[in-house]
mmCIF file of all heavy atoms in Angstrom:
data_model
loop_
_atom_site.group_PDB
_atom_site.id
_atom_site.type_symbol
_atom_site.label_atom_id
_atom_site.label_comp_id
_atom_site.label_asym_id
_atom_site.label_seq_id
_atom_site.Cartn_x
_atom_site.Cartn_y
_atom_site.Cartn_z
ATOM 1 N N LEU V 1 -18.544 16.954 -32.776
ATOM 2 C CA LEU V 1 -17.595 16.998 -31.661
ATOM 3 C C LEU V 1 -17.988 16.017 -30.551
ATOM 4 O O LEU V 1 -17.147 15.297 -29.999
ATOM 5 C CB LEU V 1 -17.520 18.408 -31.082
ATOM 6 C CG LEU V 1 -16.686 19.435 -31.862
ATOM 7 C CD1 LEU V 1 -16.841 20.812 -31.227
ATOM 8 C CD2 LEU V 1 -15.223 19.022 -31.876
ATOM 9 N N SER V 2 -19.273 15.998 -30.245
ATOM 10 C CA SER V 2 -19.748 15.106 -29.188
ATOM 11 C C SER V 2 -19.508 13.645 -29.557
ATOM 12 O O SER V 2 -19.056 12.835 -28.725
ATOM 13 C CB SER V 2 -21.236 15.341 -28.920
ATOM 14 O OG SER V 2 -21.455 16.668 -28.447
ATOM 15 N N ALA V 3 -19.793 13.276 -30.804
ATOM 16 C CA ALA V 3 -19.585 11.899 -31.243
ATOM 17 C C ALA V 3 -18.098 11.534 -31.203
ATOM 18 O O ALA V 3 -17.724 10.426 -30.802
ATOM 19 C CB ALA V 3 -20.145 11.729 -32.662
ATOM 20 N N ALA V 4 -17.250 12.482 -31.625
ATOM 21 C CA ALA V 4 -15.809 12.233 -31.597
ATOM 22 C C ALA V 4 -15.321 11.995 -30.165
ATOM 23 O O ALA V 4 -14.496 11.109 -29.910
ATOM 24 C CB ALA V 4 -15.067 13.404 -32.230
ATOM 25 N N TRP V 5 -15.829 12.785 -29.213
ATOM 26 C CA TRP V 5 -15.436 12.597 -27.819
ATOM 27 C C TRP V 5 -15.877 11.235 -27.291
ATOM 28 O O TRP V 5 -15.151 10.574 -26.551
ATOM 29 C CB TRP V 5 -16.038 13.701 -26.956
ATOM 30 C CG TRP V 5 -15.209 14.951 -26.887
ATOM 31 C CD1 TRP V 5 -15.554 16.204 -27.313
ATOM 32 C CD2 TRP V 5 -13.884 15.065 -26.362
ATOM 33 N NE1 TRP V 5 -14.540 17.087 -27.095
ATOM 34 C CE2 TRP V 5 -13.488 16.413 -26.501
ATOM 35 C CE3 TRP V 5 -12.990 14.173 -25.798
ATOM 36 C CZ2 TRP V 5 -12.251 16.880 -26.092
ATOM 37 C CZ3 TRP V 5 -11.751 14.630 -25.384
ATOM 38 C CH2 TRP V 5 -11.383 15.963 -25.529
ATOM 39 N N LEU V 6 -17.084 10.802 -27.660
ATOM 40 C CA LEU V 6 -17.559 9.494 -27.202
ATOM 41 C C LEU V 6 -16.675 8.365 -27.725
ATOM 42 O O LEU V 6 -16.360 7.412 -27.003
ATOM 43 C CB LEU V 6 -19.008 9.290 -27.647
ATOM 44 C CG LEU V 6 -20.072 10.109 -26.895
ATOM 45 C CD1 LEU V 6 -21.452 9.842 -27.484
ATOM 46 C CD2 LEU V 6 -20.056 9.772 -25.409
ATOM 47 N N VAL V 7 -16.274 8.462 -29.005
ATOM 48 C CA VAL V 7 -15.387 7.437 -29.576
ATOM 49 C C VAL V 7 -14.047 7.430 -28.844
ATOM 50 O O VAL V 7 -13.505 6.371 -28.484
ATOM 51 C CB VAL V 7 -15.191 7.679 -31.085
ATOM 52 C CG1 VAL V 7 -14.117 6.738 -31.631
ATOM 53 C CG2 VAL V 7 -16.503 7.478 -31.839
ATOM 54 N N ALA V 8 -13.492 8.629 -28.608
ATOM 55 C CA ALA V 8 -12.201 8.721 -27.919
ATOM 56 C C ALA V 8 -12.281 8.161 -26.510
ATOM 57 O O ALA V 8 -11.399 7.423 -26.055
ATOM 58 C CB ALA V 8 -11.731 10.178 -27.891
ATOM 59 N N LEU V 9 -13.356 8.493 -25.796
ATOM 60 C CA LEU V 9 -13.512 7.993 -24.432
ATOM 61 C C LEU V 9 -13.673 6.479 -24.401
ATOM 62 O O LEU V 9 -13.168 5.804 -23.501
ATOM 63 C CB LEU V 9 -14.715 8.669 -23.760
ATOM 64 C CG LEU V 9 -14.544 10.169 -23.445
ATOM 65 C CD1 LEU V 9 -15.861 10.747 -22.951
ATOM 66 C CD2 LEU V 9 -13.451 10.379 -22.404
ATOM 67 N N ALA V 10 -14.385 5.942 -25.396
ATOM 68 C CA ALA V 10 -14.575 4.489 -25.461
ATOM 69 C C ALA V 10 -13.252 3.766 -25.667
ATOM 70 O O ALA V 10 -13.075 2.624 -25.219
ATOM 71 C CB ALA V 10 -15.549 4.147 -26.591
ATOM 72 N N LEU V 11 -12.306 4.406 -26.342
ATOM 73 C CA LEU V 11 -11.002 3.782 -26.587
ATOM 74 C C LEU V 11 -10.042 3.955 -25.406
ATOM 75 O O LEU V 11 -9.235 3.069 -25.111
ATOM 76 C CB LEU V 11 -10.362 4.375 -27.852
ATOM 77 C CG LEU V 11 -11.094 4.104 -29.172
ATOM 78 C CD1 LEU V 11 -10.425 4.864 -30.307
ATOM 79 C CD2 LEU V 11 -11.117 2.603 -29.470
ATOM 80 N N VAL V 12 -10.128 5.078 -24.727
ATOM 81 C CA VAL V 12 -9.132 5.409 -23.703
ATOM 82 C C VAL V 12 -9.512 4.896 -22.318
ATOM 83 O O VAL V 12 -8.676 4.370 -21.586
ATOM 84 C CB VAL V 12 -8.904 6.929 -23.659
ATOM 85 C CG1 VAL V 12 -8.005 7.298 -22.483
ATOM 86 C CG2 VAL V 12 -8.293 7.413 -24.962
ATOM 87 N N VAL V 13 -10.774 5.049 -21.933
ATOM 88 C CA VAL V 13 -11.183 4.742 -20.562
ATOM 89 C C VAL V 13 -10.906 3.293 -20.168
ATOM 90 O O VAL V 13 -10.386 3.040 -19.062
ATOM 91 C CB VAL V 13 -12.672 5.095 -20.357
ATOM 92 C CG1 VAL V 13 -13.171 4.553 -19.016
ATOM 93 C CG2 VAL V 13 -12.836 6.606 -20.421
ATOM 94 N N PRO V 14 -11.216 2.259 -21.007
ATOM 95 C CA PRO V 14 -10.921 0.879 -20.581
ATOM 96 C C PRO V 14 -9.454 0.673 -20.251
ATOM 97 O O PRO V 14 -9.111 -0.034 -19.305
ATOM 98 C CB PRO V 14 -11.361 0.048 -21.784
ATOM 99 C CG PRO V 14 -12.397 0.879 -22.461
ATOM 100 C CD PRO V 14 -11.928 2.290 -22.295
ATOM 101 N N GLY V 15 -8.560 1.288 -21.024
ATOM 102 C CA GLY V 15 -7.135 1.155 -20.744
ATOM 103 C C GLY V 15 -6.740 1.768 -19.420
ATOM 104 O O GLY V 15 -5.897 1.244 -18.685
ATOM 105 N N LEU V 16 -7.364 2.895 -19.087
ATOM 106 C CA LEU V 16 -7.070 3.527 -17.799
ATOM 107 C C LEU V 16 -7.559 2.682 -16.636
ATOM 108 O O LEU V 16 -6.915 2.602 -15.589
ATOM 109 C CB LEU V 16 -7.722 4.917 -17.740
ATOM 110 C CG LEU V 16 -7.168 5.963 -18.727
ATOM 111 C CD1 LEU V 16 -7.985 7.240 -18.624
ATOM 112 C CD2 LEU V 16 -5.694 6.237 -18.454
ATOM 113 N N LEU V 17 -8.695 2.029 -16.809
ATOM 114 C CA LEU V 17 -9.244 1.200 -15.736
ATOM 115 C C LEU V 17 -8.412 -0.043 -15.513
ATOM 116 O O LEU V 17 -8.316 -0.558 -14.392
ATOM 117 C CB LEU V 17 -10.697 0.812 -16.065
ATOM 118 C CG LEU V 17 -11.696 1.977 -16.097
ATOM 119 C CD1 LEU V 17 -13.070 1.469 -16.496
ATOM 120 C CD2 LEU V 17 -11.750 2.694 -14.751
ATOM 121 N N ASP V 18 -7.811 -0.594 -16.595
ATOM 122 C CA ASP V 18 -7.004 -1.803 -16.475
ATOM 123 C C ASP V 18 -5.588 -1.525 -16.001
ATOM 124 O O ASP V 18 -4.830 -2.448 -15.733
ATOM 125 C CB ASP V 18 -6.935 -2.526 -17.831
ATOM 126 C CG ASP V 18 -8.287 -3.100 -18.220
ATOM 127 O OD1 ASP V 18 -9.119 -3.278 -17.313
ATOM 128 O OD2 ASP V 18 -8.513 -3.356 -19.413
ATOM 129 N N ARG V 19 -5.182 -0.281 -15.942
ATOM 130 C CA ARG V 19 -3.806 0.033 -15.536
ATOM 131 C C ARG V 19 -3.605 -0.375 -14.091
ATOM 132 O O ARG V 19 -4.444 -0.086 -13.236
ATOM 133 C CB ARG V 19 -3.557 1.527 -15.696
ATOM 134 C CG ARG V 19 -2.139 1.947 -15.305
ATOM 135 C CD ARG V 19 -1.984 3.447 -15.428
ATOM 136 N NE ARG V 19 -2.191 3.888 -16.800
ATOM 137 C CZ ARG V 19 -2.192 5.166 -17.169
ATOM 138 N NH1 ARG V 19 -2.015 6.107 -16.245
ATOM 139 N NH2 ARG V 19 -2.372 5.492 -18.435
ATOM 140 N N PRO V 20 -2.471 -1.076 -13.770
ATOM 141 C CA PRO V 20 -2.237 -1.473 -12.376
ATOM 142 C C PRO V 20 -2.064 -0.266 -11.473
ATOM 143 O O PRO V 20 -1.653 0.800 -11.915
ATOM 144 C CB PRO V 20 -0.936 -2.298 -12.458
ATOM 145 C CG PRO V 20 -0.284 -1.843 -13.728
ATOM 146 C CD PRO V 20 -1.412 -1.499 -14.664
ATOM 147 N N ALA V 21 -2.401 -0.475 -10.229
ATOM 148 C CA ALA V 21 -2.277 0.620 -9.259
ATOM 149 C C ALA V 21 -0.825 1.032 -9.126
ATOM 150 O O ALA V 21 0.071 0.194 -9.175
ATOM 151 C CB ALA V 21 -2.819 0.165 -7.898
ATOM 152 N N PRO V 22 -0.570 2.309 -8.979
ATOM 153 C CA PRO V 22 0.818 2.757 -8.854
ATOM 154 C C PRO V 22 1.455 2.193 -7.590
ATOM 155 O O PRO V 22 0.792 1.987 -6.574
ATOM 156 C CB PRO V 22 0.687 4.291 -8.775
ATOM 157 C CG PRO V 22 -0.711 4.529 -8.301
ATOM 158 C CD PRO V 22 -1.533 3.411 -8.884
ATOM 159 N N LYS V 23 2.771 1.918 -7.670
ATOM 160 C CA LYS V 23 3.487 1.388 -6.530
ATOM 161 C C LYS V 23 3.714 2.488 -5.504
ATOM 162 O O LYS V 23 4.070 3.604 -5.839
ATOM 163 C CB LYS V 23 4.847 0.828 -6.972
ATOM 164 C CG LYS V 23 4.723 -0.339 -7.944
ATOM 165 C CD LYS V 23 6.091 -0.813 -8.375
ATOM 166 C CE LYS V 23 5.984 -1.957 -9.380
ATOM 167 N NZ LYS V 23 7.321 -2.406 -9.831
ATOM 168 N N VAL V 24 3.485 2.117 -4.259
ATOM 169 C CA VAL V 24 3.716 3.057 -3.171
ATOM 170 C C VAL V 24 5.183 2.979 -2.795
ATOM 171 O O VAL V 24 5.718 1.897 -2.578
ATOM 172 C CB VAL V 24 2.831 2.709 -1.957
ATOM 173 C CG1 VAL V 24 3.106 3.656 -0.807
ATOM 174 C CG2 VAL V 24 1.373 2.728 -2.368
ATOM 175 N N ALA V 25 5.826 4.115 -2.739
ATOM 176 C CA ALA V 25 7.251 4.144 -2.449
ATOM 177 C C ALA V 25 7.534 3.462 -1.122
ATOM 178 O O ALA V 25 6.879 3.709 -0.122
ATOM 179 C CB ALA V 25 7.746 5.593 -2.398
ATOM 180 N N GLY V 26 8.498 2.533 -1.154
ATOM 181 C CA GLY V 26 8.917 1.865 0.059
ATOM 182 C C GLY V 26 8.105 0.630 0.395
ATOM 183 O O GLY V 26 8.441 -0.086 1.322
ATOM 184 N N LYS V 27 7.073 0.336 -0.346
ATOM 185 C CA LYS V 27 6.256 -0.835 -0.058
ATOM 186 C C LYS V 27 6.424 -1.860 -1.161
ATOM 187 O O LYS V 27 6.327 -1.534 -2.342
ATOM 188 C CB LYS V 27 4.772 -0.459 0.081
ATOM 189 C CG LYS V 27 3.909 -1.638 0.520
ATOM 190 C CD LYS V 27 2.488 -1.206 0.774
ATOM 191 C CE LYS V 27 1.631 -2.363 1.239
ATOM 192 N NZ LYS V 27 0.247 -1.980 1.501
ATOM 193 N N ALA V 28 6.664 -3.107 -0.778
ATOM 194 C CA ALA V 28 6.930 -4.146 -1.756
ATOM 195 C C ALA V 28 5.645 -4.576 -2.442
ATOM 196 O O ALA V 28 4.615 -4.748 -1.794
ATOM 197 C CB ALA V 28 7.566 -5.356 -1.063
ATOM 198 N N PRO V 29 5.685 -4.756 -3.771
ATOM 199 C CA PRO V 29 4.518 -5.294 -4.469
ATOM 200 C C PRO V 29 4.403 -6.788 -4.194
ATOM 201 O O PRO V 29 5.178 -7.582 -4.725
ATOM 202 C CB PRO V 29 4.841 -5.004 -5.944
ATOM 203 C CG PRO V 29 6.335 -4.943 -6.004
ATOM 204 C CD PRO V 29 6.790 -4.432 -4.671
ATOM 205 N N GLU V 30 3.465 -7.169 -3.352
ATOM 206 C CA GLU V 30 3.352 -8.563 -2.943
ATOM 207 C C GLU V 30 2.584 -9.385 -3.974
ATOM 208 O O GLU V 30 1.693 -8.893 -4.646
ATOM 209 C CB GLU V 30 2.648 -8.663 -1.590
ATOM 210 C CG GLU V 30 3.400 -7.986 -0.460
ATOM 211 C CD GLU V 30 2.659 -8.110 0.861
ATOM 212 O OE1 GLU V 30 1.636 -8.828 0.905
ATOM 213 O OE2 GLU V 30 3.092 -7.489 1.835
#
């Protein structure tokens, strides 16, 4: 189980870090 979690985290976490910051309502993305 621990090894499976490490593999899953290695695949998912980089994608989450690269995701652009959410747009703030009413503020233009400059």
